[in-house]
Amino acid sequence: MLRLSHLSKSFGDTPVFRDVSFEVARGEFVALVGESGVGKSTLLNCIAGLEQPDGGTLTLDGRELRTLNEDARARLRRAQLGFVFQAFHVLPHLSVAENVALPLLLLGRPDDARVDAVLAAVGLQGLQARMPAQLSGGQLQRVAIARAVVHAPALILADEPTGNLDPATAERVLSVLVAQVRDSGAACLLVTHSDAAAQRADRVLRLTAAGVVG
């Protein structure tokens, strides 16, 4: 599903990561760990086509992202990816249900029952009409996770999805991600500092200044 080969990224003269190579297969849950500042979030942004790497190749479902223009990357991202951002990026003017439904609406596939089911799975049943300002940080994170999986994407990218959650809720959310991988054959790449979260993965990769160790 995902193949990176000798990928590199710098900001000006400062390298963020270099010579990163690994693959994630369909139906595989992979955790990516590493010290702060080694470029884990930037790497996820490159995989999602939100930033451009400086070198190497990045193939998603057989398509080389660096050869696609911004419109093509946006279409691929909308259809194939679910992204859980560390900073949530929940839209403040939309309700919980409207935020979660957005990927389905963009694909022309509105499905209120699916939205309700995913919200129940992350423990937010009954909160469909709430606005983001009425939610805690942990609840906002669960909205972001529900939005990332509601359209059954082929690849889920999750940037510290349990960082704002208590242990019981974190376990519940990880179970949602695992179920999405197992039930739909999706691939998941999870960036985390949590040993408990990494232990749920099929495989753990470590990003270092010299590349990836797995």
Side-chain angles (χ1 to χ4, degrees):
M1 183 64 209
L2 175 67
R3 178 179 291 114
L4 283 67
S5 181
H6 304 292
L7 210 68
S8 63
K9 175 68 177 179
S10 298
F11 291 133
D13 295 329
T14 304
V16 181
F17 55 79
R18 60 184 178 183
D19 200 30
V20 172
S21 299
F22 64 88
E23 297 181 2
V24 182
R26 293 183 183 276
E28 188 177 27
F29 193 152
V30 176
L32 182 68
V33 301
E35 296 179 359
S36 296
V38 297
K40 299 185 299 297
S41 294
T42 301
L43 179 59
L44 284 192
N45 286 338
C46 288
I47 294 170
L50 298 171
E51 296 186 34
Q52 281 278 51
D54 300 321
T57 60
L58 198 168
T59 304
L60 175 61
D61 197 24
R63 303 181 70 183
E64 168 53 54
L65 262 62
R66 295 185 68 194
T67 67
L68 303 179
N69 62 30
E70 179 54 39
D71 286 344
R73 289 199 301 273
R75 288 193 298 270
L76 183 64
R77 186 163 55 240
R78 184 183 304 159
Q80 299 276 46
L81 293 184
F83 203 132
V84 184
F85 294 94
Q86 191 171 2
F88 315 141
H89 293 314
V90 172
L91 299 178
H93 60 285
L94 297 181
S95 69
V96 166
E98 288 168 337
N99 265 284
V100 174
L102 193 56
L104 293 171
L105 294 177
L106 291 173
L107 292 170
R109 293 163 29 198
D111 188 339
D112 291 343
R114 171 66 177 169
V115 171
D116 289 345
V118 173
L119 285 172
V122 298
L124 294 178
Q125 61 269 34
L127 300 185
Q128 285 89 334
R130 292 272 185 96
M131 300 302 290
Q134 298 173 299
L135 302 180
S136 67
Q139 288 172 325
L140 288 170
Q141 184 65 292
R142 283 183 278 166
V143 172
I145 291 165
R147 182 182 59 191
V149 304
V150 71
H151 58 305
L155 175 64
I156 302 166
L157 303 175
D159 192 357
E160 293 286 0
T162 62
N164 296 286
L165 305 179
D166 62 84
T169 306
E171 179 62 24
R172 183 172 190 171
V173 161
L174 286 170
S175 294
V176 171
L177 292 176
V178 169
Q180 186 72 22
V181 170
R182 299 292 179 261
D183 296 344
S184 69
C188 181
L189 181 61
L190 166 76
V191 162
T192 184
H193 286 103
S194 166
D195 290 338
Q199 288 173 3
R200 296 294 300 272
D202 302 315
R203 187 159 51 99
V204 178
L205 303 175
R206 180 171 295 276
L207 183 62
T208 71
V212 165
V213 178

